[in-house]
Structures are given as C-alpha cells and as structure tokens.
C-alpha cells in the first residue's frame, strides 16, 4: 500500500479543532477503537502527539485531531463482512469515509488487488447497508502525510494532512 494511494483533494485543509461543515469525511465516529502504541483506544481519547499504528508506515505521530457533531449519510458494516474480524464488531461510518478493501470486492468492483473506496460505494443491502442520515460525533485524525489506520478492525484512510509549518 503506497501512501500516495490515499486520496486527498487539493484545498481541503481546515483550521485545527473543528471540521469544516462540507468536509465531514474521513472522520471516525465516537466510540471507534483505534490501534495505537499505547493499545487500542477509543478515538475520542486521542490527542496530537499520540503514536498510531498504520498499515503503510508502521507507526505515525498524530499531528491534529478535529471534531464536530454533524448529520451525515451513514453506512452500517456488519461484523466480519470484509474478512475475519474486519470489522471486529458491527460498525457505523460516514458514507464518504474511505476504506481499504483487499478482498474479492477490490477485484470484482475495481479491477485491482486493493482499492481505497468510500464506504457508500460498497453497499450491498445486507452486510453493508445505508442507515440513513444520522447525527454523529466525528473525529478527523490528521498526520503529516496520509495514512491507513486500523479502527474496529477496518483499514480506514486518515483525513488530509496538516499543512507544513513555515
């Protein structure tokens, strides 16, 4: 998995601590458990400086955490749908949250061995389904570069990187 595979459109960097109203994507809902060097922690317990386990670089230092409460299209993913313990419990994510898919879906739907896709594109009506527009407390995790995080057994894209200082 090359970090450059993570999509991050230009012009989507926001001030720290609050998610811009029209960019509530690649954000984890409260209660999602993220793998860190301090163990598996709920996303709401993470702060800048925490070291998060990533698929593409091993460990990355969290640069910023932005949060908001927003009504978003949400997707429910049944436990074990994307592989053994993927997710490790039933999960709900924003429809625009990008997931790394590395099973038969990547080949059949996207012609690749792996694909980074918004959760909403994976709806099958049974195991991955729309739960409608719901209000969620969302947390965007930003690093100095894009990464793939482990949360609730899913492989999820981080938010756009923070801008370089200076």
């Amino acid at each position: 998995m090359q970090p450059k595979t993570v999509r991050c459109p230009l012009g989507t960097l926001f001030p720290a601590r609050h998610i811009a109203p029209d960019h509530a994507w690649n954000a984890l809902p409260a209660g999602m458990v993220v793998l860190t060097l301090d163990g598996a922690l709920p996303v709401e317990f993470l702060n800048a400086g925490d070291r998060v386990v990533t698929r593409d670089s091993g460990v990355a230092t969290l640069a910023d955490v932005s949060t908001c409460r927003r009504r978003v299209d949400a997707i429910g993913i049944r436990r074990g749908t994307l592989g053994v313990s993927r997710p490790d419990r039933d999960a709900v994510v924003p429809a625009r949250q990008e997931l790394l898919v590395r099973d038969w879906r990547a080949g059949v739907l996207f012609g690749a061995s792996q694909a980074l896709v918004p959760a909403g594109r994976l709806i099958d009506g049974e195991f991955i389904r729309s739960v409608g527009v719901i209000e969620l407390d969302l947390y965007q995790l930003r690093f100095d570069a894009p990464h793939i995080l482990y949360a609730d057994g899913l492989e999820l894209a981080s938010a756009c990187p923070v801008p370089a200082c200076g």
Side-chain angles (χ1 to χ4, degrees):
M1 174 74 218
Q2 295 294 324
K4 65 182 179 183
T5 304
V6 178
R7 290 164 203 47
C8 186
L10 295 175
T12 57
L13 299 176
F14 315 112
R17 309 304 315 154
H18 188 71
I19 301 171
D22 57 344
H23 289 91
W25 52 282
N26 284 349
L28 308 181
M32 259 197 146
V33 177
V34 178
L35 289 184
T36 73
L37 286 188
D38 293 323
L41 298 173
V43 67
E44 57 268 32
F45 287 53
L46 299 180
N47 295 298
D50 286 343
R51 295 173 301 166
V52 177
V53 177
T54 69
R55 175 171 173 72
D56 53 288
S57 69
V59 174
T61 301
L62 189 55
D64 181 54
V65 179
S66 300
T67 185
C68 72
R69 184 171 188 86
R70 180 130 319 109
R71 291 181 57 79
V72 296
D73 285 325
I75 303 300
I77 304 171
R78 188 181 289 175
R79 177 179 185 237
T81 296
L82 298 173
V84 177
S85 296
R86 294 185 64 213
D88 53 16
R89 60 185 176 144
D90 290 350
V92 173
V93 296
R96 293 181 66 185
Q97 171 64 54
E98 293 175 308
L99 284 82
L100 181 63
V101 178
R102 298 185 296 126
D103 63 2
W104 61 269
R105 289 170 189 85
V108 172
L109 299 174
F110 307 104
S113 61
Q114 58 186 17
L116 193 60
V117 249
R121 298 244 352 247
L122 298 173
I123 293 173
D124 63 16
E126 184 176 350
F127 301 103
I128 302 174
R129 67 197 187 307
S130 172
V131 294
V133 177
I134 61 174
E135 192 165 36
L136 293 173
D137 289 322
L138 298 172
Y139 294 80
Q140 282 186 327
L141 305 181
R142 290 198 183 89
F143 301 86
D144 291 334
H147 292 288
I148 301 296
L149 316 172
Y150 295 102
D152 282 354
L154 295 170
E155 296 171 331
L156 305 173
S158 67
C160 295
V162 294
C165 295

